[in-house]
Amino acid sequence: MVRFDDVGLRYGSGPAPEVLRDVSFVLPQGSFHWLLGPSGAGKSSLLGLMHLALRPSRGEVEVLGQPLSRLRRGALPGLRRRIGVVYQDFRLLPHLTVFDNVALPMRIAGRAEAQLRADVGEMLRWTGLDAKAGALPATLSGGEQQRVALARAVVMRPALLVADEPTGNLDGVQARRVLALLREMHRLGTTVVVATHAEGLVAEHPAPALRMEEGRLVAHG
Amino acid sequence: MARPPRVRRSRGRDPLGLRRALSDRLLPALVAAMALLAALALAGAQGAAELTARWEAGAAAAVTVQLPPAAASGGRLERALAALEALPEVAEARVMSEAQMQALLRPWLGEAPAVALPLVIELRLAELPASPDELAGRIAAAVPGGVVESHGVWVARLVALARSLQTVALAALVLVAGIAAAVVAVAVRAGIAARRAAIALLHDMGATDTDIAGRFAGRAGLLVGTGALLGTLLAAPVLAGFADLAAPLLGQVPAGSVAGLPWGSVPWAALALLPLLGAALGWLTAQVTVRRWLRRLP
């Protein structure tokens, strides 16, 4: 479950205006939500709060049952390992192979190499990338890179998966393929939130939506 | 069940790409130069300490009091000994035997000196005086008619000089360690700047500060330890050469050839510690630098 209660977010410590204002909503465990809104509406900031890359300036954020205001900094890494993130720009590490990029969250979590090989192999097959395991990201197409990023995000079987414009840099075919994988994660019980501009994709896959405008949540449902 | 794919994972254990971000050339080369300086400073401090001890030992028995031969009778010698031993600076006052005196004077006076020899009292001092002139005056006052010879004056000055050299060498060692730490900190900061995005990614995936700082610290420790080892290996023959040049100061004869260098004079135990201390310094500096930077992340 994800719960925002009267959340405000301001970057920096000065008198800068809030980029998020009075945001309140609840996402039940296992739900799928679109996050919609124009550029600059605050979608990425909202997702940043969800995957603990940011902390709210005010209000309460609760992620996977953990209220952030009561969590020590040292407890955050454990919670982050239960959250998968897919970025528009993929953020693959260029010096690592596809296999090692996907294996990264497991190595961070200290998983044994034997278990890691089996799980990463399964993820690569799931995303149709098993033949590319030894390739470096620079040799892959945009769609392939985004599937690697998706495999990396879900290899730890996260309870919450957030995707920030995951299809923004992809053509229609690749975008549908990535979206199908996200929907499959939802079917497996993961809470999924996908920020997008692609109204066409949203129309093809109807689901509840959060709609942001100028830092405020203007519609939920 | 299908076999998991066999893939190249040579860099899987270096997700931050630190093998490139923290170069294995520049940092070890700089540290090697500093280790060489540290080894020289260390050897200088040790050499100065040895000279201090040697000169102090020499000066401790370097004060003598001469009395005329007639002082042997009438209890004057005993009174002089008692007065000298009562001085707090004097650890022991001992009359030099006639045999010792003859042995000392034999080159000038022959086997049977025709002149009456003075009585000589050797003084072993508890410690070198802060003011040798003042002590000489007090000894002269305690033994009226005695002639005090105190070449401990210049010995004390040499000892003070050696102590100053020792202090300067230790200060140089501390300075080199400080510069080495600064160089490591700069290199680590450059590495952080080069891998900022990767660090943020690992952090978002749940990597702890300990994990990220440990990756930098392990790499920095390895590079600094390697550089310090190279510098130490370079320093060993240089120090052996310096020890050979300093041989006359210790009453030894210089070898003058590489084969005859006094390798035993090289402070091997202290040198062996340098790479270990260097690695520890690099590790600790990287830990502090990275952890301070990571504090800005949520």
Side-chain angles (χ1 to χ4, degrees):
Chain A
M1 185 187 75
V2 176
R3 184 175 65 85
F4 277 47
D5 187 6
D6 202 22
V7 168
L9 176 67
R10 172 183 287 121
Y11 290 110
S13 54
E18 286 187 326
V19 294
L20 292 179
R21 291 191 296 277
D22 309 325
V23 177
S24 299
F25 63 85
V26 175
L27 305 182
Q29 183 61 39
S31 62
F32 184 105
H33 278 80
W34 295 106
L35 178 57
L36 307 174
S39 295
K43 301 192 297 297
S44 294
S45 296
L46 191 74
L47 290 182
L49 287 169
M50 278 189 203
H51 68 81
L52 316 182
L54 300 169
R55 298 195 90 162
S57 306
R58 62 181 172 85
E60 181 65 280
V61 173
E62 189 176 318
V63 177
L64 303 177
Q66 301 284 334
L68 298 192
S69 63
R70 288 183 223 160
L71 279 183
R72 289 178 296 105
R73 187 173 182 274
L76 293 176
L79 192 54
R80 288 191 181 106
R81 290 174 193 175
R82 298 172 60 200
I83 303 169
V85 188
V86 183
Y87 304 92
Q88 180 178 5
D89 56 357
F90 321 137
R91 298 196 192 175
L92 302 178
L93 295 181
H95 51 282
L96 297 186
T97 63
V98 166
F99 183 98
D100 286 329
N101 265 289
V102 176
L104 192 53
M106 303 193 82
R107 288 197 169 118
I108 287 171
R111 296 289 168 83
E113 286 292 313
Q115 180 196 355
L116 179 155
R117 288 193 66 190
D119 285 357
V120 173
E122 184 187 331
M123 279 301 126
L124 292 177
R125 280 191 297 281
W126 180 66
T127 51
L129 289 164
D130 40 348
K132 303 275 188 178
L136 291 172
T139 66
L140 304 179
S141 69
E144 288 172 329
Q145 290 189 49
Q146 193 56 295
R147 279 186 279 145
V148 175
L150 182 56
R152 182 183 65 188
V154 301
V155 72
M156 291 284 286
R157 310 292 200 276
L160 170 65
L161 177 62
V162 299
D164 191 0
E165 306 276 4
T167 61
N169 288 332
L170 307 181
D171 62 32
V173 174
Q174 294 289 353
R176 285 185 186 85
R177 190 165 183 181
V178 166
L179 192 62
L181 293 171
L182 290 169
R183 298 300 301 231
E184 197 172 331
M185 283 305 296
H186 168 234
R187 275 195 294 275
L188 293 170
T190 301
T191 305
V192 179
V193 182
V194 182
T196 186
H197 280 114
E199 298 286 350
L201 277 181
V202 176
E204 285 178 27
H205 299 274
L210 303 166
R211 187 173 294 276
M212 301 288 299
E213 278 181 19
E214 296 181 347
R216 291 181 185 278
L217 181 65
V218 294
H220 179 197
Chain B
M1 186 177 136
R3 282 172 61 85
R6 294 185 67 80
V7 293
R8 175 164 59 92
R9 293 195 317 250
S10 60
R11 296 191 173 178
R13 295 182 188 282
D14 182 24
L16 292 173
L18 295 181
R19 272 179 256 180
R20 292 193 67 181
L22 289 178
S23 162
D24 58 2
R25 295 192 180 170
L26 183 61
L27 185 57
L30 287 172
V31 171
M34 284 181 280
L36 177 60
L37 291 176
L40 294 178
L42 196 63
Q46 190 163 321
E50 283 174 11
L51 283 177
T52 302
R54 186 181 176 82
W55 286 336
E56 272 183 334
V63 179
T64 57
V65 180
Q66 296 173 35
L67 294 174
S73 59
R76 188 177 170 196
L77 177 62
E78 288 73 19
R79 285 196 300 277
L81 281 170
L84 290 169
E85 284 182 336
L87 293 172
E89 294 89 347
V90 175
E92 184 186 4
R94 186 170 60 85
V95 181
M96 192 178 283
S97 69
E98 195 171 336
Q100 279 179 299
M101 285 289 293
Q102 287 180 351
L104 280 173
L105 297 173
R106 192 173 294 125
W108 293 274
L109 302 179
E111 287 295 332
V115 296
L117 297 179
L119 299 170
V120 177
I121 300 173
E122 282 185 322
L123 299 185
R124 190 167 64 78
L125 302 180
E127 58 183 20
L128 276 178
S131 171
D133 291 337
E134 187 183 331
L135 177 64
R138 291 174 60 201
I139 291 172
V143 185
V147 177
V148 178
E149 178 147 348
S150 175
H151 55 270
V153 174
W154 64 267
V155 174
R157 285 175 184 156
L158 281 178
V159 168
L161 176 66
R163 280 184 180 151
S164 299
L165 285 175
Q166 193 179 356
T167 306
V168 168
L170 290 174
L173 196 62
V174 171
L175 187 64
V176 167
I179 294 172
V183 167
V184 173
V186 169
V188 168
R189 282 184 189 185
I192 290 172
R195 294 293 182 261
R196 195 186 189 106
I199 293 170
L201 183 68
L202 263 66
H203 180 265
D204 282 357
M205 287 180 178
T208 60
D209 291 0
T210 300
D211 182 21
I212 295 171
R215 290 175 189 277
F216 273 91
R219 179 72 179 158
L222 177 69
L223 294 179
V224 174
T226 304
L229 179 63
L230 288 174
T232 304
L233 290 176
L234 283 175
V238 176
L239 293 179
F242 283 165
D244 195 46
L245 289 175
L249 286 176
L250 300 169
Q252 297 160 0
V253 180
S257 68
V258 175
L261 287 177
W263 294 101
S265 302
V266 176
W268 294 109
L271 288 188
L273 284 176
L274 272 184
L276 297 176
L277 291 175
L281 182 75
W283 185 90
L284 189 63
T285 305
Q287 280 278 354
V288 171
T289 306
V290 175
R291 282 176 185 270
R292 284 180 70 180
W293 189 86
L294 286 172
R295 261 188 245 148
R296 67 184 67 179
L297 298 180

